[in-house]
Amino acid sequence: TGFNAVRFPKRIPHPYYLILCRQYGLLPFIELPISSIPESILNEKEFNDRVRNYTNFFLKAFKDYSLGGIGLGSSYSGDSEIDIKFIENLAALVKKNTNALTYASFLDGKLKEIKNLDFYGIEFINNLANSSSLNEMLMNEQFKPGKLFVSEASYLVSRGNSDGYLTANSFEAQAKFFEDLIDYSNKNSLLGYFLSCMFD
């Protein structure tokens, strides 16, 4: 199929999957199971303490595996000061205990530079990349060279829908969405992309 990396989003992979990745020459990206957490919870000391303890356990459990990177969660808001502070604290903890590259995944929108974060993933669901604020970020010097990637590209399909790429939520529209996204990635300075469609 030509892909060379696998992202395990929103859950911790069984170690056997990482062994298979090594066997087949795939680079695994694993991440903390943090997604769409409200700011009010991210701001709580108790929640932050639990996340720090969990992260220490997580890092010890995967210290002997070859990884492409360690993700700090997904569906963050790139211009939320609370989200940014939370990610900065997690990234500092990972950098203190490992040499791993760090990344986080953000909803499409504004994005600020975050200390100790190596890569920034952008999520696209049913929207084309070239209609987003990603174009603006690609022109921003702080995200060069190559700090941006598409962390999650999904297009929802409705079974029984009429055919044709102009029909929303058809298989042809999904194929066109992925084709456009791959073309966009190839024409711009993105690190790459992860397509969320393996079992669709």
Side-chain angles (χ1 to χ4, degrees):
T1 57
F3 63 86
N4 57 13
V6 177
R7 177 179 172 228
F8 295 93
K10 302 175 182 68
R11 66 180 61 122
I12 296 178
H14 191 285
Y16 181 62
Y17 289 128
L18 302 184
I19 292 169
L20 288 176
C21 283
R22 184 175 60 210
Q23 181 180 336
Y24 292 112
L26 298 170
L27 200 56
F29 287 76
I30 65 172
E31 58 195 59
L32 296 167
I34 299 171
S35 180
S36 303
I37 306 293
E39 285 185 346
S40 58
I41 294 175
L42 288 180
N43 226 3
E44 289 180 2
K45 182 185 182 308
E46 294 80 13
F47 179 77
N48 280 270
D49 289 344
R50 286 197 308 271
V51 169
R52 287 180 69 79
N53 290 337
Y54 188 91
T55 302
N56 283 323
F57 172 76
F58 177 87
L59 295 174
K60 286 177 189 170
F62 291 102
K63 67 180 171 57
D64 295 328
Y65 293 92
S66 297
L67 303 172
I70 294 179
L72 308 178
S74 61
S75 299
Y76 288 111
S77 171
D79 60 355
S80 162
E81 293 302 324
I82 292 172
D83 285 19
I84 290 169
K85 182 180 177 190
F86 180 79
I87 295 167
E88 277 182 354
N89 290 337
L90 276 182
L93 179 62
V94 172
K95 292 294 186 184
K96 178 182 173 186
N97 292 290
T98 73
N99 293 323
L101 296 170
T102 58
Y103 69 93
S105 184
F106 298 87
L107 298 170
D108 183 26
K110 299 285 184 189
L111 197 57
K112 295 180 181 175
E113 192 171 16
I114 299 174
K115 189 176 179 184
N116 289 317
L117 193 65
D118 296 305
F119 304 117
Y120 302 77
I122 310 298
E123 301 170 14
F124 296 106
I125 300 173
N126 284 28
N127 291 322
L128 294 175
N130 59 6
S131 66
S132 75
S133 56
L134 183 56
N135 288 325
E136 188 180 316
M137 286 184 273
L138 286 169
M139 303 305 288
N140 191 329
E141 289 298 319
Q142 68 183 355
F143 296 114
K144 290 182 179 178
K147 289 190 172 226
L148 297 170
F149 69 101
V150 176
S151 54
E152 200 167 317
S154 302
Y155 190 92
L156 304 176
V157 171
S158 299
R159 291 188 184 278
N161 218 4
S162 58
D163 295 337
Y165 73 92
L166 294 176
T167 304
N169 303 108
S170 67
F171 285 105
E172 290 83 3
Q174 182 189 56
K176 175 93 169 62
F177 169 79
F178 287 127
E179 180 183 29
D180 290 346
L181 187 122
I182 291 167
D183 287 345
Y184 181 86
S185 178
N186 290 338
K187 290 175 186 171
N188 292 281
S189 58
L190 294 178
L191 286 171
Y193 48 84
F194 290 94
L195 306 181
S196 303
C197 66
M198 185 170 177
F199 298 107
D200 189 343

